[in-house]
Amino acid sequence: MGPGLPGHAEHADTREARLKSAPRTAALLTGAMLVLVGPIAGFTLLRDPADPRISVGAAPAATLVPGDVRDRTGRMIAGAVWTGLVAYDAATGVPADAAAESVTSPDRRVWTVRLRPGGRFHDGSPVTARSFTGAWTSVLNENWHGAPLLTDVAGIKGAARAVGRSAGVAGLKVEDDRTFEVTLDRPLNGFRALLGDPAFLPMPESVLRSRDWASYGRLPIGNGPYRVRSHDTSGTVLRRPAGGREIVVEAIPDAARQYAAVEAGDLDLATQVPPGRHASMDTDFRGRHLALPGRTTTYLVFPERAEHLSSPALRQAMSMAIDRSAVTEGPLGHQASPANALVPPGVLPGRREGQCRLCVHDSKAATAALADAGGPTGPVTIRYEAGDAAGVTAVAGQLRKELKLDVRTRPAEPAELRGADGPFVLHTTAAYPAPVAALAPLLELADGYASDLIDEAERAATPEEAVTPARLAETALLRDMPAMPLWSSHEHLVWSERLRGVSAEPFTGLHLDRLALKE
């Protein structure tokens, strides 16, 4: 993956941080993929009628410490083991109160969180306001993966000063056992929606006192519908506190192995589909497969330093010359969808489909636009990180063929990309389900009017009122194309005939707690 401008960044400087967090995520995910598991034959145990567990195949989770969760599997498991303050509706993406009884603010800057009564962790201890404020403070003190959500996206007062230090957070104030107050540096109407991320999950007082994160990560204690019975490199076993059917999340990094195991009846659900089986997926699993739209978009960015590419007409010509479908269906192996907007398809509330008309492949229009622009002087070098090689190579080839441009490609490190004098590949991830959450990471690339519109959307009185300025900002950005949308990630699920209750949404993933077997 290329340099990131996600909703969760790595450093206190907001805009600089948004440009750097995705590579770290990619590196950690790559490391997680190296965990090996036993042969598929081991799954036959799950079909024993005396042990009718539900089995799910997934890449190994890097960690189950909630504030440090950094991959799809970790988010999926966290959604079953913890109940956050809010949860996202699978059909609409709109947040609804969960552990919170209410999350309110008179000015979008000072927020009051009131918890539902009677909340308990799996060890029997109460879920209190301190369970949340203490957990969030630990995320910052330990500089976990979720820290930039608190510092950069939410902008909690004093959060940046607590990163990597044993320090409190001025913007977190406990009122009583069920109530706490959060003060932000600036108004943010999306704060409530942001609270569904694992970075904002609670932890019990016992671990907040001991700070034995290693032990906690091996057997975390949550407050959700499932508790962790065991967790190691082979996978995670979950069970409801009151007993009942177990769910086994088997660590299977290889998509082909997952798919074959479901076909053979040795696995109930696969969370990955190999590129070679995409075309036959509907035949193999008719009515039993799901494509889950993603919240991450890949862009080709044109920095201001690239003066030879400053013409909007030139950028528009390049955009229309790219056949995005050919790239996503070819080199990217059906693991992404062609972008038709700046906002990724996984952002359901307020998103408009097909906003980027210039993202439609049109050779004649591209050639005409290039003639109007006068073409670039000299070669065009696209810089990218190693994980983007296949897609960038394909795009460069299309630009050479369609526009006869001297397009070259060059792998680079993140620091080099940030200082590039030419286009580079960038990934952003929406931190919460709202159009402005996808556009805010592009703030550094926006000109004055688009920046003002993005700020207006973040400060709007309600999420609904934020949609109009966000759409206007998207239109302005698509016209000048400082960031050209290429494609957006998505996930695939396939499952066996005996499984029911399969549902998912882009920000949490598969809902493990809703899985059941047909009677």
Side-chain angles (χ1 to χ4, degrees), residues 13-377:
D13 180 22
T14 303
R15 296 179 185 174
E16 185 74 9
R18 285 170 176 159
L19 287 162
K20 293 185 177 179
S21 64
R24 177 174 181 255
T25 303
L28 292 165
L29 280 167
T30 302
M33 295 296 183
L34 298 178
V35 180
L36 300 179
V37 297
I40 289 177
F43 292 118
T44 55
L45 293 174
L46 301 180
R47 300 283 78 79
D48 185 338
D51 184 21
R53 297 181 288 180
I54 296 173
S55 55
V56 175
T63 177
L64 293 187
V65 176
D68 205 22
V69 165
R70 61 192 64 160
D71 50 43
R72 293 173 179 174
T73 304
R75 296 178 76 88
M76 175 181 71
I77 294 173
V81 176
W82 283 270
T83 296
L85 291 169
V86 303
Y88 305 118
D89 183 90
T92 66
V94 174
D97 291 335
E101 184 176 83
S102 63
V103 181
T104 57
S105 173
D107 59 2
R108 285 87 63 206
R109 182 171 177 267
V110 179
W111 293 81
T112 299
V113 179
R114 179 74 171 165
L115 302 180
R116 295 185 188 277
R120 295 277 171 180
F121 287 102
H122 299 147
D123 65 356
S125 61
V127 177
T128 67
R130 154 100 178 137
S131 305
F132 288 92
T133 61
W136 300 4
T137 301
S138 297
V139 171
L140 295 165
N141 293 167
E142 302 298 328
N143 196 16
W144 284 334
H145 185 75
L149 285 179
L150 283 75
T151 58
D152 300 340
V153 181
I156 297 175
K157 183 179 179 181
R161 290 191 293 273
V163 174
R165 302 172 53 205
S166 181
V169 181
L172 298 178
K173 180 182 177 182
V174 173
E175 300 285 352
D176 56 46
D177 280 352
R178 289 179 52 205
T179 311
F180 63 98
E181 184 180 271
V182 185
T183 301
L184 310 182
D185 289 328
R186 71 191 192 288
L188 180 66
N189 74 67
F191 178 71
R192 177 172 174 270
L194 180 62
L195 297 178
D197 192 273
F200 297 92
L201 292 173
M203 289 191 285
E205 186 63 31
S206 58
V207 71
L208 294 177
R209 285 197 309 266
S210 72
R211 304 181 70 83
D212 186 356
W213 313 120
S215 295
Y216 185 65
R218 286 191 292 271
L219 201 66
I221 299 169
N223 66 321
Y226 277 82
R227 67 184 304 165
V228 179
R229 286 201 61 193
S230 66
H231 171 68
D232 55 32
T233 56
S234 67
T236 306
V237 179
L238 307 174
R239 190 171 187 177
R240 292 189 182 275
R245 198 183 308 280
E246 291 182 341
I247 295 177
V248 183
V249 180
E250 297 282 352
I252 311 174
D254 183 67
R257 291 184 61 196
Q258 288 188 33
Y259 195 92
V262 180
E263 277 192 305
D266 295 327
L267 189 68
D268 289 312
L269 185 145
T271 56
Q272 294 174 273
V273 171
R277 303 303 296 271
H278 187 275
S280 64
M281 182 170 53
D282 187 55
T283 301
D284 299 339
F285 297 98
R286 186 171 298 279
R288 292 181 285 115
H289 64 87
L290 173 69
L292 183 63
R295 59 194 187 106
T296 298
T297 296
T298 299
Y299 303 91
L300 185 62
V301 172
F302 299 91
E304 291 185 11
R305 293 177 298 279
E307 295 182 3
H308 61 303
L309 300 174
S310 61
S311 166
L314 173 57
R315 298 172 183 176
Q316 293 166 6
M318 294 174 68
S319 181
M320 290 186 288
I322 298 172
D323 185 346
R324 290 161 173 79
S325 294
V327 180
T328 58
E329 295 171 11
L332 299 187
H334 301 279
Q335 305 305 305
S337 303
N340 60 23
L342 280 175
V343 178
V347 176
L348 302 179
R351 180 185 185 270
R352 286 190 297 183
E353 188 78 8
Q355 280 298 96
C356 184
R357 297 178 183 177
L358 297 171
C359 291
V360 178
H361 180 223
D362 189 332
S363 298
K364 291 183 179 180
T367 302
L370 181 66
D372 291 341
T377 57

